[in-house]
Amino acid sequence: MFVSFLKNVDLIAGETIAVDGTKSRAHNSKKANFNQKKIDKHKTYIDTNPKNV
């Protein structure tokens, strides 16, 4: 299904596909989770403290 999506949006030709079997685990802790409020707060911090970034 993912390969079909990539072919439909012309990201791959789909002539040769290789899968390596890598497994990844999702983690959605409070530190790894971003919402608009957190992004805005961080952007404000960066804009006001450019030397700390």
Side-chain angles (χ1 to χ4, degrees):
M1 190 169 181
F2 183 65
V3 174
S4 298
F5 167 74
L6 295 176
K7 286 171 66 175
N8 288 338
V9 294
D10 293 327
L11 291 176
I12 61 172
E15 295 169 358
T16 303
I17 300 293
V19 178
D20 68 357
T22 300
K23 293 181 181 179
S24 61
R25 296 185 339 168
H27 87 283
N28 193 18
S29 67
K30 284 195 173 219
K31 283 188 172 184
N33 182 314
F34 292 93
N35 57 31
Q36 194 61 49
K37 182 178 175 182
K38 276 180 136 177
I39 293 169
D40 293 340
K41 186 175 178 181
H42 192 67
K43 283 175 64 178
T44 302
Y45 173 79
I46 291 170
D47 292 341
T48 57
N49 302 303
K51 63 184 178 221
N52 292 337
V53 178

